[in-house]
Amino acid sequence: MTDIINILPDSVANQIAAGEVVDRPASCVKELLENAIDAGARRIQLIVKDAGRTLIQVIDDGKGMSTTDARLCFERHATSKIHSADDLFAIRTMGFRGEALASIAAVAQVELRTRQAGAELGTQVIIEGSMVKSQGPCSCGEGTAISVKNLFFNIPARRNFLKKDSIELSHIDEVFRRVVLVNNEIEFTFHANGRLLYDLRAGNKAQRITAVFGMHGTEKLFPVQEQTDVVSVEGFIGKPEYARKTRGEQYLFCNNRYIKHQRLANAVESAYRELIPEHTYPSYFLFITIDPSRLDVNIHPTKTEVRFVDEHAVLSILRAATRKSLGQFRLATEIDFNPSSELDLSPAPKGYIPPVPTVSYREDYDPFAVSGPQAAAPTARAGFDRLSWGNQHTQQDEGWADYRGRYVATTDTLASSAATAAPTQPAEQQQTVLFADGDDMETDVGEQPQMPIAYGGRYIITSLRSGVVVIDYRRAEERIVFEQLLSRSRHTSAAGSQQLLFPLTCTFGPADSALIDEAVTLMDDMGFVTEHADGASLVVRAVPPCVRESDVKDIADCLVAGLRETQIQPEGGYLEVACATTARQVACHAVFPADAQAMNAVIGSLFACSAPTLTPSGKPTLITINEACLDQAFDRI
Ligand code: ADP
Ligand code: MG
C-alpha cells in the first residue's frame, strides 16, 4: 500500500488561509489598520494606489516590533495577543488569530519597517509569496510602516476577480469608515492615488461621525444612551425624516469592533416601524459594550460576525434604547400645527351644479331566470382563491387591442396630462399603432372610455370588453416613467428638461468620486443636467419632466449605491437598470390621480408603453378579471 497523505508546505497553507482572510484589497487594509490600533498607535496613515492593487501602505506610531518579532510576525499562528485558550474569552484586541500577516505575505510583496521606542535602529523585512527576500537593520521612525505591493501577484485567478478600481476603492472606504468611527481618539489620514480623502483629527464620537459623513452629520441624529448590567449602548440614531432608500449609514459596533448582526440590526429597525415608510432605512451608529466573556468573536476569520451569550437581553435592550431615544427626541418635532391630511370641506362655489350620478344596468337581467350551476346553494366563502387573474398578458392577448383602442385613442386626455406621463411617441404615431391593432379596433374606436374607479388609494379599476381591469397605480407609473426615461436616453436626453430653481447637491463619501462620475453620465443620459463638483458632490441642475425635485436625492443615492454594489454594471444593460432604479423611486412617491380624467391619462400612457403589463422588474402592473373568472368564482358558492 502506498501512503498518499502529505503535509502542505507553509507557503501553500498560507495561500489557502489567505483565501479566507484577504479576499480583496479592502480586507488587507482592514487587517493592517487593526494591527496598528492593537499596537497602540495615536496616528495612522493609509495610502493606497490603484485601489490597493499596486500598493497598500499603513504607517503607524505604535509600539513597533523587535528584530525577532519583525521576522516572526509573518509566521502562521504568530500572535502576541493570546497565549492560551483561556485568553480567547477575554479578548480586547482586534486581532488574535495570528493569520493576517502570514496570509498577506503569501499573496503579495511585503516590506516591513519597524522600530520600538528607545531602539536606535529599526528592522526591515522584505518578503514575497511567503519567501523572505531580505532582512536587516534600517533607520526609520518609531512605530511600524508596512507596504503591501502587487496584491495577488502570484494568484492571477484571484487578481482577475477584483472589480474595477472605483468599486474596490469604495470597499476600502467602507472598511476605513468602520475602523475610524469607533477609534475616534486616533488621528487618521487616507490618501488614494496621491489625493487626500480623509484627514481626521482626534475627537469625540459625534465629531468623528460628522467628519466622516459631512458637515451636518449630527444634525440628522438623535443621541442614544442606555446602561444596564448586561450591556451598555451608546451612540446616535438617524431622525426618521432622514431615513434613506439605501442601507448606507448603518453601523453597529461591539467592544470597539464593527460587527454584522442581522438580528441586532432588525431590532434597531423595528423600533422605527410606523415612523418611516416601507423600504426606507434609518441611519444608526451604535456602540455596544459587553463583558468579553459574554461574547464570541471567534466564529469567523474576519471576526465581523459575533455571537452573544445573552442575545435575547441584548436585543431587547437595543430595541428599547432606540425606542426611548426616538420617543424622547421626537416629541418636540411631533406637534404638527398644520396637518395636511385634513379633509377639504370647503363649500362648493356658487352656481355649482353637482353632476347627476349615473347608474348602468342590464336591461335583460331577470333575477328569477337563474338556472343551471348559478342556482347551486351558496357556501359560506366565495372561492376567489382559485381565480385565474390572467396577469400574464402579452401583446398578442385578445384584450390588448381593446385597451389601446379605448384609451390610446383619447389623445386629447393624454396631451393634457404630460405631467403624469408623456407618451413615448407623438400622438399621431400612436393613432397609427392603434389602427394597426386589428379587428377589435373597429368596434372600439369612437367608444367613450368607461369611467374609471379609484379603489383603496392604490388601484384604478376600469372595464373593457375583455373584462374588468385592475391597475396597480404605482406599478403602472413605474412602467410609464421607465419607458419615458429610456426613450429620452435614446433620442433627446436633456431636451425639455426642467431647470431647478436652486440646484440640488447630493453629498457622498470622498472615495466615491469615480462612482459619482458614472452616476453623472447615467443621469445626463436620462435627461437630468448634473455635474460632479467638489470631489464628493453631485449637483443636479435640471430634471426630466417625469421626475419630481423631491425625489432627486433618493434617485442619486440609489444610483450611486447600485453602482457601488455592482447591481448596475455596464455589461448588464447599464442604462436600463439605471432607468428602472429611477422609475422605482419616482413611482413610490407618485400621487394617486385626483379625478377620472387623470386616471384615464394614466391608463392611456400605460397602454402606450411597449410592455404595459409588467414593471421593469417583471411584476404585473394589472390584472384582468374576465367573465370566465367570475363565473368560476360564483359557481363555487
Ligand atoms: P494578530 O493580529 O491576529 O495577532 P497578525 O498576523 O495580524 O496577527 O499580526 C501578528 C503579530 O505581529 C501581532 O500579534 C503583533 O504582535 C505584530 N504586529 C503586527 N502589526 C503590528 C504593528 N503595526 N505594530 C506592532 N506590532 C505588530
Ligand atoms: Mg492582526
Side-chain angles (χ1 to χ4, degrees):
M1 268 210 247
T2 49
D3 299 329
I4 53 171
I5 294 179
N6 57 30
I7 305 286
L8 289 176
D10 271 358
S11 57
V12 179
N14 286 340
Q15 260 195 30
I16 295 171
E20 285 196 312
V21 185
V22 261
D23 58 346
R24 61 184 347 151
S27 40
C28 180
V29 169
K30 169 181 179 286
E31 296 297 337
L32 298 181
L33 291 177
E34 289 186 350
N35 279 349
I37 292 162
D38 285 342
R42 310 312 309 157
R43 181 157 198 276
I44 300 175
Q45 302 170 58
L46 167 66
I47 295 156
V48 302
K49 285 215 175 93
D50 305 318
R53 245 178 258 271
T54 46
L55 175 74
I56 298 167
Q57 188 174 26
V58 172
I59 304 166
D60 69 57
D61 61 356
K63 63 178 185 247
M65 283 180 260
S66 69
T67 304
T68 319
D69 284 355
R71 169 66 196 86
L72 252 186
C73 69
F74 293 108
E75 294 297 325
R76 212 136 68 92
H77 308 307
T79 181
S80 54
K81 298 167 195 173
I82 60 170
H83 296 98
S84 71
D86 288 345
D87 296 346
L88 273 177
F89 303 99
I91 288 165
R92 292 187 188 273
T93 50
M94 306 300 289
F96 57 87
R97 295 167 63 118
E99 284 175 330
L101 289 184
S103 302
I104 293 167
V107 296
Q109 299 160 336
V110 179
E111 183 191 328
L112 168 78
R113 293 159 81 87
T114 185
R115 183 164 73 84
Q116 287 182 312
E120 229 165 75
L121 278 178
T123 310
Q124 184 196 47
V125 178
I126 296 178
I127 181 165
E128 286 183 21
S130 299
M131 307 285 282
V132 178
K133 296 282 166 182
S134 87
Q135 179 177 5
C138 71
S139 65
C140 60
E142 198 180 306
T144 303
I146 183 157
S147 305
V148 176
K149 293 175 195 158
N150 304 319
L151 189 65
F152 304 132
F153 78 103
N154 52 354
I155 320 182
R158 174 76 32 108
R159 208 169 51 228
N160 295 338
F161 252 104
L162 295 180
K163 300 268 167 38
K164 56 184 177 186
D165 280 9
S166 57
I167 290 171
E168 292 301 337
L169 186 64
S170 102
H171 282 287
I172 295 179
D173 183 41
E174 186 54 33
V175 159
F176 181 80
R177 290 178 183 206
R178 290 173 186 177
V179 170
V180 302
L181 281 172
V182 75
N183 291 289
N184 45 285
E185 349 61 52
I186 302 177
E187 265 178 45
F188 286 91
T189 60
F190 176 7
H191 285 85
N193 288 347
R195 207 159 70 85
L196 178 65
L197 299 185
Y198 294 88
D199 184 3
L200 305 172
R201 314 261 131 233
N204 60 26
K205 289 214 162 58
Q207 287 166 328
R208 182 53 59 91
I209 293 171
T210 310
V212 173
F213 290 96
M215 284 306 286
H216 305 294
T218 48
E219 273 176 26
K220 301 177 180 172
L221 304 171
F222 292 138
V224 175
Q225 178 102 48
E226 194 67 61
Q227 190 102 32
T228 71
D229 293 344
V230 184
V231 63
S232 83
V233 180
E234 60 160 337
F236 297 89
I237 55 169
K239 296 182 183 173
E241 57 269 36
Y242 291 106
R244 294 169 66 154
K245 288 288 165 141
T246 52
R247 285 184 188 270
E249 297 166 3
Q250 300 191 328
Y251 294 89
L252 271 181
F253 302 89
C254 184
N255 291 359
N256 287 351
R257 181 190 301 279
Y258 171 82
I259 56 163
K260 272 190 196 145
H261 198 294
Q262 197 50 51
R263 278 193 294 274
L264 248 58
N266 292 346
V268 178
E269 284 187 14
S270 73
Y272 279 84
R273 210 162 281 151
E274 282 149 33
L275 291 178
I276 59 176
E278 230 187 311
H279 305 304
T280 57
Y281 307 96
S283 312
Y284 53 81
F285 307 88
L286 291 170
F287 305 86
I288 299 169
T289 313
I290 193 164
D291 177 353
S293 66
R294 314 298 290 166
L295 180 75
D296 186 359
V297 289
N298 197 21
I299 49 177
H300 191 267
T302 61
K303 304 176 227 79
T304 44
E305 281 157 45
V306 299
R307 249 194 317 240
F308 294 91
V309 177
D310 318 291
E311 182 177 300
H312 204 68
V314 176
L315 286 177
S316 324
I317 293 164
L318 195 61
R319 190 184 301 114
T322 311
R323 279 236 176 93
K324 188 170 130 192
S325 164
L326 282 171
Q328 236 171 26
F329 296 101
R330 274 189 81 237
L331 272 181
T333 51
E334 187 76 312
I335 309 159
D336 186 353
F337 292 101
N338 203 1
S340 54
S341 56
E342 232 169 55
L343 281 177
D344 179 11
L345 296 175
S346 49
K350 245 191 181 158
Y352 172 76
I353 304 164
V356 181
T358 54
V359 179
S360 63
Y361 58 93
R362 263 175 61 189
E363 283 177 17
D364 59 345
Y365 178 66
D366 176 358
F368 301 105
V370 179
S371 63
Q374 277 91 339
T379 58
R381 288 172 63 88
F384 275 84
D385 49 333
R386 262 188 40 206
L387 283 184
S388 144
W389 297 108
N391 54 15
Q392 303 299 321
H393 292 287
T394 64
Q395 293 215 15
Q396 283 74 45
D397 275 2
E398 184 215 332
W400 180 249
D402 187 22
Y403 306 142
R404 289 201 170 196
R406 200 164 287 182
Y407 290 104
V408 180
T410 58
T411 43
D412 52 345
T413 1
L414 259 184
S416 69
S417 68
T420 323
T424 47
Q425 298 153 325
E428 286 134 8
Q429 255 175 293
Q430 284 179 3
Q431 290 279 18
T432 344
V433 173
L434 185 101
F435 286 108
D437 264 332
D439 304 344
D440 301 79
M441 297 313 308
E442 283 163 29
T443 47
D444 276 339
V445 167
E447 191 182 335
Q448 280 306 301
Q450 296 280 324
M451 190 68 118
I453 299 169
Y455 181 68
R458 172 171 174 187
Y459 301 105
I460 301 173
I461 304 175
T462 187
S463 93
L464 295 171
R465 204 164 31 103
S466 53
V468 175
V469 179
V470 183
I471 297 172
D472 181 318
Y473 167 63
R474 292 241 162 102
R475 290 193 183 173
E477 198 61 14
E478 205 175 318
R479 163 56 62 181
I480 295 165
V481 174
F482 170 72
E483 293 212 2
Q484 198 190 350
L485 291 169
L486 206 59
S487 110
R488 290 181 73 81
S489 68
R490 287 185 185 138
H491 308 298
T492 51
S493 71
S497 291
Q498 290 165 358
Q499 204 75 21
L500 299 180
L501 202 52
F502 301 104
L504 276 172
T505 303
C506 315
T507 314
F508 298 92
D512 290 331
S513 183
L515 299 176
I516 295 172
D517 282 340
E518 290 171 27
V520 161
T521 314
L522 285 172
M523 290 179 83
D524 287 355
D525 280 348
M526 288 189 276
F528 291 83
V529 176
T530 58
E531 77 188 61
H532 180 175
D534 241 22
S537 301
L538 192 157
V539 179
V540 182
R541 299 193 181 281
V543 297
C546 57
V547 173
R548 284 174 304 268
E549 186 174 342
S550 52
D551 291 332
V552 166
K553 284 203 169 160
D554 282 346
I555 292 170
D557 258 4
C558 288
L559 288 175
V560 171
L563 288 162
R564 183 184 299 123
E565 287 150 22
T566 63
Q567 286 156 356
I568 305 179
Q569 284 187 36
E571 52 281 13
Y574 208 58
L575 192 61
E576 273 189 32
V577 185
C579 291
T581 307
T582 307
R584 200 174 320 123
Q585 294 316 313
V586 173
C588 72
H589 295 134
V591 180
F592 197 84
D595 55 22
Q597 196 188 11
M599 280 193 267
N600 271 335
V602 173
I603 302 171
S605 302
L606 179 64
F607 292 123
C609 288
S610 64
T613 56
L614 295 174
T615 64
S617 55
K619 291 188 188 144
T621 55
L622 57 87
I623 55 171
T624 307
I625 308 166
N626 58 22
E627 237 177 288
C629 295
L630 292 171
D631 288 349
Q632 196 187 359
F634 284 107
D635 278 357
R636 293 188 61 211
I637 294 176

